[in-house]
Amino acid sequence: METILAVAEAKDGNVRKISYEVLTAARSMSSGGQIVAILLGSDSHEHADSLGEYGAKTVYLVNTQNEVGDTSVLFAEALQQLIEQIRPNAILMPHTALGKDVAPRVAARHGLGLVSDVIDIQIVDGEVVFTRPIYAGKAFEKRKMTSGLPFATIRPNNIRPERTTHTEVNKVDLKVHRKDLRTVVKEVVRKTTSTVDLTEAKVVVSGGRGVKSSEGFKLLQELADLLGGAVGASRGACDAEYCDYSLQIGQTGKVITPDLYIAAGISGAIQHVAGMSNSKVIIAINKDPEAPIFQIADYGIVGDLFEVIPMLTEELKQT
Ligand code: FAD
């Protein structure tokens, strides 16, 4: 493939890890072509260099920090501009909140198809075949584009980012030609205070209705902090107002693939499992030995989470 456009994201002054995963995915389908990256949310040349370490030859930088418009609209505008300019043969984007917002806008504007939440890319007989989970993660489907160019969003924490030897990067500051903006962001209020992004965390300690209160969630936060991870939740716990909906994992919440997922007081309903079943190691803590979560857990602890979690925390504090 001659030119692949890989979309990267910066947040809170850092390049998000998913950006390197998208670049690694782009390399797997490039077979000698060039990879052009667009970094949404930063104009730092250091950030551009870091993308070069993962294969980007040219990096277009877009920073909308001082803009008053809706960031997604501006980023979609920037992407549209770049696509018209460089005419890529394929486009890959992160399947993040921003990617899910921007990718369909761009696809619609260019009359393209879009395959979302991709976990694997293969080249079969010269054609790009995307694999994505369906039916809440119970099955996988393979898709290829029958017209237009391959355009997909990539699920975070699924493709292992790999560095290359190529490090020289051509950096271009992309000036977005602003068209009529119909919405303006006046204020952004963060829902969670956690410093670890739930969708990128390597360890997630998640609580369900069994945690019984927002006080109970403090136990989980302590354990997550010790492990350098983030706290997640079932919808049961969110509905009961033990925690914020921004922590919800599952079919109608966030889809995550951490290295370690600890499910405490979560029954394991299919809608929850849809959001975490691809975690590398799952530990379930539940006092009901028949709880469905044990069917997908690598390690199961039948017991009261109010005894098990403090024991785990104490043990970790000793190490
Ligand atoms: P429960 O099912 O009530 O389970 C609580 C568990 O805690 C039990 O297994 C119990 O044995 C255990 N427990 C209790 N006390 C203790 C203790 N002291 N120590 C150890 N274990 C204890 N759910 C999601 O999570 N995410 C979604 O995205 C989602 N989307 C949905 C979409 C739709 C359309 C629908 C219909 C439902 C959705 N749900 C979702 C809800 C889902 O079906 C379940 O109702 C929900 O996941 C249950 O949450 P829970 O496991 O915390 O609660």
Side-chain angles (χ1 to χ4, degrees):
M1 220 158 267
E2 281 168 33
T3 304
I4 299 176
L5 176 57
V7 181
E9 269 181 44
K11 196 178 168 193
D12 301 330
N14 295 308
V15 176
R16 299 190 71 181
K17 184 170 144 264
I18 176 67
S19 309
Y20 307 127
E21 296 167 10
V22 168
L23 280 164
T24 305
R27 269 179 17 235
S28 76
M29 55 195 271
S30 78
S31 61
Q34 66 157 345
I35 294 165
V36 174
I38 178 169
L39 178 57
L40 306 180
S42 168
D43 50 16
S44 149
H45 283 206
E46 263 175 52
H47 288 165
D49 285 331
S50 79
L51 297 177
E53 289 174 28
Y54 289 83
K57 207 169 172 191
T58 304
V59 177
Y60 288 84
L61 298 143
V62 190
N63 196 355
T64 56
Q65 225 171 19
N66 301 320
E67 304 275 356
V68 285
D70 181 333
T71 316
S72 300
V73 177
L74 289 167
F75 285 153
E77 206 66 61
L79 260 169
Q80 186 174 0
Q81 250 175 254
L82 187 60
I83 291 167
E84 280 161 14
Q85 192 182 318
I86 66 166
R87 304 252 165 228
N89 304 96
I91 309 168
L92 298 183
M93 274 192 87
H95 192 71
T96 52
L98 181 68
K100 283 187 258 183
D101 194 350
V102 173
R105 292 174 195 265
V106 174
R109 285 180 192 194
H110 288 269
L112 297 171
L114 174 67
V115 184
S116 65
D117 202 15
V118 165
I119 57 165
D120 188 43
I121 302 173
Q122 302 284 332
I123 307 292
V124 181
D125 299 330
E127 287 189 297
V128 182
V129 179
F130 296 115
T131 304
R132 63 189 294 273
I134 52 169
Y135 303 129
K138 281 211 165 298
F140 298 94
E141 68 171 8
K142 290 184 186 295
R143 284 198 182 203
K144 61 182 179 187
M145 300 300 199
T146 51
S147 68
L149 48 90
F151 185 8
T153 59
I154 307 292
R155 179 181 281 203
N157 264 353
N158 197 71
I159 291 165
R160 187 182 290 274
E162 280 170 23
R163 282 193 163 84
T164 69
T165 45
H166 167 81
T167 50
E168 226 173 276
V169 181
N170 179 23
K171 298 153 200 160
V172 186
D173 288 309
L174 191 72
K175 187 89 197 104
V176 189
H177 305 313
R178 293 176 50 177
K179 297 201 180 132
D180 288 343
L181 294 173
R182 293 184 209 166
T183 54
V184 169
V185 177
K186 291 193 154 179
E187 192 187 6
V188 177
V189 181
R190 275 182 195 271
K191 285 228 166 175
T192 50
T193 50
S194 173
T195 49
V196 185
D197 187 320
L198 185 53
T199 54
E200 292 193 344
K202 284 191 184 308
V203 177
V204 174
V205 182
S206 218
R209 231 186 313 245
V211 176
K212 294 191 173 67
S213 66
S214 48
E215 270 306 298
F217 264 81
K218 289 185 182 157
L219 285 179
L220 306 190
Q221 186 69 60
E222 196 184 354
L223 179 59
D225 288 345
L226 275 169
L227 293 166
V231 170
S234 71
R235 177 153 140 192
C238 300
D239 285 344
E241 298 183 2
Y242 302 159
C243 58
D244 192 85
Y245 279 103
S246 59
L247 302 190
Q248 185 183 319
I249 309 295
Q251 192 180 328
T252 45
K254 294 195 164 86
V255 176
I256 56 167
T257 43
D259 290 346
L260 174 64
Y261 187 82
I262 301 177
I266 294 178
S267 58
I270 180 162
Q271 296 90 352
H272 183 78
V273 168
M276 45 63 74
S277 60
N278 284 339
S279 305
K280 305 217 172 40
V281 175
I282 298 168
I283 300 177
I285 305 165
N286 199 302
K287 63 182 185 184
D288 174 8
E290 302 298 325
I293 192 79
F294 288 126
Q295 289 168 18
I296 58 151
D298 298 285
Y299 300 94
I301 302 171
V302 179
D304 187 334
L305 72 93
F306 295 102
E307 291 171 16
V308 178
I309 296 276
M311 271 163 62
L312 268 173
T313 306
E314 274 317 303
E315 198 60 39
L316 279 163
K317 278 182 183 166
Q318 309 299 323
T319 55

